[in-house]
Amino acid sequence: MAELKNMARLPVLKRGIETKEKIINAAWILFSDKGYFKTNTKDIATKAGVATGSFYAYFNNKKDVGIELIRRFYKDGTEKVLSHTIKKISDMLAENPGPKTVRMTVKFIIESFKEFHAISPMLQRDALVLILMDEEVKNVSREEDGKILSFLIEILQQYKEYLRVDDVEAAATLLFRVSDEVMHRIMIHNDEIEAERLLRELEDMICNYIFVSDLK
Amino acid sequence: MAELKNMARLPVLKRGIETKEKIINAAWILFSDKGYFKTNTKDIATKAGVATGSFYAYFNNKKDVGIELIRRFYKDGTEKVLSHTIKKISDMLAENPGPKTVRMTVKFIIESFKEFHAISPMLQRDALVLILMDEEVKNVSREEDGKILSFLIEILQQYKEYLRVDDVEAAATLLFRVSDEVMHRIMIHNDEIEAERLLRELEDMICNYIFVSDLK
Amino acid sequence: MAELKNMARLPVLKRGIETKEKIINAAWILFSDKGYFKTNTKDIATKAGVATGSFYAYFNNKKDVGIELIRRFYKDGTEKVLSHTIKKISDMLAENPGPKTVRMTVKFIIESFKEFHAISPMLQRDALVLILMDEEVKNVSREEDGKILSFLIEILQQYKEYLRVDDVEAAATLLFRVSDEVMHRIMIHNDEIEAERLLRELEDMICNYIFVSDLK
Amino acid sequence: MAELKNMARLPVLKRGIETKEKIINAAWILFSDKGYFKTNTKDIATKAGVATGSFYAYFNNKKDVGIELIRRFYKDGTEKVLSHTIKKISDMLAENPGPKTVRMTVKFIIESFKEFHAISPMLQRDALVLILMDEEVKNVSREEDGKILSFLIEILQQYKEYLRVDDVEAAATLLFRVSDEVMHRIMIHNDEIEAERLLRELEDMICNYIFVSDLK
DNA sequence: TATGAATGAGGATTCATTCAT
DNA sequence: TATGAATGAATCCTCATTCAT
């Protein structure tokens, strides 16, 4: 039934597309500023310069903009950040193949996670909350996480010969979760420990875990 | 002003203490069952067998019961679970000193995290959300996390000679966060990957990271 | 599930009972004046001199006050009007037994329906609409109609010897519906035909239908 | 002002007429299926394959389609059903004149009402509601009812010599209302009593009321 | 201390109708 | 003529918290 009620207008004219975009941008600004939960649909519509009804013409409800934003967020993260990382790693491997690049690769990955989380910590936080509290959002995130995981697995497999782990999928999952969590602690929870110390250990941990030790 | 508003009664008489306890128990049951956000104060009061007004005689607001419960939660976690772990480790070390206990220790630690998170995943989840959304709760959790961290540091220092990490505090923090996160993925997010695979890798990762490699 | 959510407060203290009564009275006035559909819960609360929330403390929703009012309406109709009619008929039969009272009885019944519908035509109309549009209200009305039907059957059975109909239940039902409908046409639809003519025919029709013809 | 606002296009070109027809058909389907109130203008337009705006080019508002449909409904009822009945009665009278046809005539009339109401109970119900709630619709229905009434009077006058009622107009009105109401109870309210019993009594009542008794 | 009634801001959503293109 | 995007008033209901008794 939830599927059937997907009544949101699919804009065909340029004007409609623009309006939808205006709403998304307004939501982005408001969510980044006040957070998802303190923003209401009327605010979003007003900020977008449209009527409340228009909001509901393009989105079934507030959650749906949230999901849309989370998707874009992930997309940006994967397209701009992770794929960029892959490129960097490939370039590096082309120039300078061999075990010496391993640590650099890990650095790059961590760096890309950092960049990803720096885009909008507020949104990251609220996304985290939504994922915890809403099944639909959880599924969206799971779906998107799957893509990131594939990236990581792909990267790891480029180093097949230097891996010390057998279960690459589980290792990649762990690598993903661990990096993600560390970024959360740094960007969202503002844990007392200095970010640098944590990041240094993170890098060290990953290298020692994933790769055989006699490389360095 | 926050100070002034702390009107909640501090029960001294046995009866008052019992009433407060009844409220906490009711809240615990309800939060574990329906979650913090879907439980309202009236329900709690009703379940506790007191009037709504009485709830506010013992707690300033709903959040405060949440905090109280989170504190107890942590307390249980540290007292019943972690301290029990420490004991197990000490016993093991007494009986069988040396590097061979390292991996067992890590297993114990992971196991204790698992037990801790198994108490009430629903509450864990809502605590997570509250921590993300409320500064006061965040501080409470930070405080309690500090205690757990101390435990871990204490344990690690028992193995001083076998440690490969320099920054023990950061390592312990990482160890804490990583274990916590993995439990969340397993207990709360129900990630698709099998728990066993993830846990096996977690153990492997921690061992390789924390301890020198020529032990096993 | 609808049953389970019967959260409406059951007032225990005098104050609560009074408030509920105030709300019902306000609703009655507003419904009679503007009609059910043009009245909203906020209006009712305001008129009752209470907060919106109080409205929802005593009623799950607007429909529920409507139902409550419909019930009271019926109750008034049956208690004050119909039972009064029964009494009049009994008195008449006691004084002056025999077939001559038949027509008078029918007159009394019609008169009682008229009185019943004269209480608040606006509410009658809205009740009619609600019955048509809402299953729950329909059931309430069916239930209450059953009581009126029993009254009618009871009356008819007092004239057992003069009845020409076999299926008394069906006859009473028809008698009920026909009288009701005629009142609706007169009080609600304001049909063009003069009420007197219609009522005269109604009486004539019922007498000829229900009773043997050689009485008069 | 009401006059001024009658901007609805009066289609003269074939295309316009077709579009209007498409809208009416779509509305018919939707109203019969989900009812008038749960159908919105957008749905109607979509189902008709036109834009929302086009709807308002042909109708001033949603109610107007309702009225149009009610008119057609009545027209179908009178043309296809009632006039067909008149024909059947005329044929019968031609073949077999005399008092024996009286009961058959009543049967035919009741049957025609039944057929009429069977076309679309959902629409009947909503028409009923609209008539109760909207003055304009009430007037339309009154107008159309007048036509049916004329039919009935016409029929009754064919039996002038057997009638026992004096006020034929009032009698016809009563006959109309009574039959209509019984059909509502059967088709819309689904009263508990079996339709057959009610219909049998209805027929009996009408015969005894309208016609002299020594016919059968 | 305890009770339970009262508060009321606050937010999501709908849909008939209008309007710009 | 036709399109489909835009409008925005209107309404229901929740629940943490306060208050009168």
Side-chain angles (χ1 to χ4, degrees), chain A residues 31 34-40 62 125-127 129-130 133, chain B residues 129 133:
Chain A
F31 288 175
K34 306 194 294 176
Y36 175 86
F37 297 95
K38 285 184 182 158
T39 302
N40 62 28
K62 185 177 145 186
R125 191 203 60 186
D126 287 351
V129 171
L130 279 169
M133 287 178 53
Chain B
V129 171
M133 287 176 54

Side-chain angles (χ1 to χ4, degrees), chain B residues 175-193:
Chain B
L175 166 55
F176 179 15
R177 291 306 164 201
V178 163
S179 307
D180 217 41
E181 173 66 2
V182 167
M183 298 313 156
H184 286 156
R185 304 311 310 185
I186 291 171
M187 316 289 285
I188 300 175
H189 293 87
N190 302 112
D191 280 357
E192 276 161 356
I193 198 161

Side-chain angles (χ1 to χ4, degrees), chain A residues 27 35 45 56 73 137 181 211:
Chain A
Y56 284 93
F73 205 68
V137 181
E181 173 64 3
F211 301 107

Side-chain angles (χ1 to χ4, degrees), chain C residues 9 12 19 51 53 58:
Chain C
R9 184 186 296 163
V12 282
T19 301
Y58 293 102

Side-chain angles (χ1 to χ4, degrees), chain B residues 9-76:
Chain B
R9 189 179 300 158
L10 242 179
V12 275
L13 279 70
K14 205 181 107 199
R15 186 173 168 212
I17 293 170
E18 279 170 2
T19 303
K20 187 164 186 177
E21 215 55 34
K22 276 195 289 181
I23 293 170
I24 288 173
N25 288 333
W28 164 267
I29 293 168
L30 259 11
F31 289 175
S32 293
D33 184 31
K34 307 192 295 177
Y36 174 87
F37 298 96
K38 285 182 182 161
T39 302
N40 60 35
T41 52
K42 210 187 152 210
D43 287 347
I44 299 172
T46 304
K47 181 122 206 156
V50 300
T52 326
S54 298
F55 177 93
Y56 284 90
Y58 293 100
F59 295 95
N60 290 312
N61 48 45
K62 184 180 159 186
K63 199 176 74 185
D64 277 10
V65 218
I67 290 176
E68 175 69 32
L69 241 35
I70 289 174
R71 276 198 201 281
R72 295 195 173 208
F73 203 68
Y74 268 107
K75 221 179 157 205
D76 274 27

